[in-house]
Amino acid sequence: MSTLLEVSGVSVSFDGFKAINNLTFQIGEAEMRAVIGPNGAGKTTFMDIVTGKTRPDEGRVLWGEKSQSLLSMSESQIAQAGVGRKFQRPTVFEDQTVAENLMLALKKKRSPFAVLNFRASRADRERVEELAGEIGLVAALGRKAGELSHGQKQWLEIGMLLAQGPRLLLVDEPAAGMTPAERELTTEILVEAAKTRAVVVVEHDMEFVRRLDCKVTVLHEGSVLAEGSIDHVTSNEAVIEVYLGR
Ligand SMILES: Nc1ncnc2c1ncn2[C@@H]1O[C@H](COP(=O)(O)OP(=O)(O)O)[C@@H](O)[C@H]1O
Ligand SMILES: [Mg+2]
């Protein structure tokens, strides 16, 4: 598997506190990766660094086959390069239907400035239906996003990110506030998405992580504490002590 994202020796401090401390790891092309660790371990900050929201004090963040540095790029340039990010709180347009939300995301991909003149082609409408299928919302295409359940809104937002065709999708605690059934469908959506792009999922629900069936990176105090299969990391003494044992 070739490397898509390479983080090496990255550190960042906030008011003298090292939130990320010499962090090094790689994500492969079309790899699914789970990131776990106690609160304050630096999981969200790691995503902030990759997306350009936070600038590290040192280290490298390299992207793609040309090993382009993401650190010299703006947040929108990084998004344009193919990094999509899902935040914990869904940011869908509540007064628009599911189909309209997905169509808006397709438009945005084409050009953030051409939205007003945009006219949906037949191919666009087909792509919207296809996306709805990928996120389990075909039956809800005509419904206002505001009427959806919390889980459905999360899926819609994932669909809106997929509409923009990211090569890497970063997802922070997607299962929070979901019912067990919604959690299962979320796993399926992410596993399917990771067949054609890299997906990095931060999640506390260990059953959820187990179902992702992927390599797991454990962060602690801003560094990698352990990495490997779920069975490997959950039997690691240090991981049990700082994370699982509590
Ligand atoms: N913008 C910021 N300013 C100050 N401190 C921050 C900021 N972002 C994160 N931190 C601190 O960095 C540490 C790591 O936070 P975070 O990345 O949110 O952890 P996690 O997502 O693993 O729970 C925490 O101690 C947090 O308080
Ligand atoms: Mg966090």
Side-chain angles (χ1 to χ4, degrees):
M1 186 162 28
S2 61
T3 303
L4 177 64
L5 178 74
E6 185 185 348
V7 174
S8 64
V10 166
S11 296
V12 66
S13 297
F14 299 112
D15 306 320
F17 172 76
K18 260 198 170 169
I20 297 289
N21 187 5
N22 196 21
L23 179 66
T24 297
F25 76 101
Q26 290 104 35
I27 305 293
E29 201 82 55
E31 176 180 358
M32 169 73 88
R33 177 74 61 90
V35 177
I36 63 173
N39 281 328
K43 305 180 297 295
T44 298
T45 304
F46 151 72
M47 291 191 173
D48 290 343
I49 288 171
V50 174
T51 55
K53 190 176 170 214
T54 294
R55 298 292 166 181
D57 303 324
E58 48 189 317
R60 295 186 306 172
V61 181
L62 303 177
W63 170 256
E65 41 286 296
K66 291 181 186 154
S67 292
Q68 193 179 10
S69 174
L70 293 186
L71 300 182
S72 55
M73 292 160 65
S74 68
E75 281 186 78
S76 66
Q77 285 173 326
I78 292 170
Q80 207 71 36
V83 178
R85 179 184 193 172
K86 161 98 184 66
F87 287 92
Q88 268 172 268
R89 197 149 39 93
T91 53
V92 299
F93 298 99
E94 306 250 325
D95 291 336
Q96 308 278 318
T97 65
V98 168
E100 286 163 345
N101 269 284
L102 291 169
M103 192 63 85
L104 275 169
L106 274 184
K107 291 180 198 181
K108 205 171 142 208
K109 175 196 175 190
R110 211 145 311 154
S111 158
F113 308 107
V115 172
L116 287 177
N117 301 319
F118 179 87
R119 297 188 61 206
S121 68
R122 182 188 173 138
D124 292 325
R125 285 190 289 270
E126 282 171 3
R127 181 70 185 123
V128 163
E129 297 231 347
E130 193 176 69
L131 286 163
E134 289 170 37
I135 54 173
L137 290 180
V138 171
L141 269 168
R143 288 180 60 198
K144 289 251 163 72
E147 297 167 6
L148 301 177
S149 72
H150 169 74
Q152 289 174 317
K153 282 182 195 170
Q154 300 279 7
W155 303 332
L156 176 55
E157 193 175 21
I158 292 172
M160 291 169 75
L161 287 165
L162 294 177
Q164 300 184 51
R167 288 176 71 190
L168 169 65
L169 187 59
L170 303 169
V171 192
D172 204 351
E173 303 194 24
M178 284 192 180
T179 65
E182 287 176 334
R183 285 171 190 230
E184 267 188 51
L185 214 134
T186 305
T187 321
E188 285 169 30
I189 291 168
L190 294 174
V191 167
E192 193 58 35
K195 287 180 180 165
T196 49
R197 78 202 73 242
V199 177
V200 176
V201 184
V202 166
E203 188 47 67
H204 283 295
D205 178 346
M206 293 306 281
E207 273 314 301
F208 190 99
V209 171
R210 189 169 284 280
R211 276 199 309 268
L212 292 176
D213 192 22
C214 66
K215 190 169 176 180
V216 179
T217 299
V218 186
L219 289 193
H220 175 55
E221 295 178 347
S223 308
V224 175
L225 181 65
E227 199 166 76
S229 70
I230 181 110
D231 290 329
H232 172 79
V233 300
T234 54
S235 59
N236 178 298
E237 284 300 328
V239 175
I240 293 169
E241 186 161 326
V242 307
Y243 185 54
L244 301 170
R246 297 170 312 152

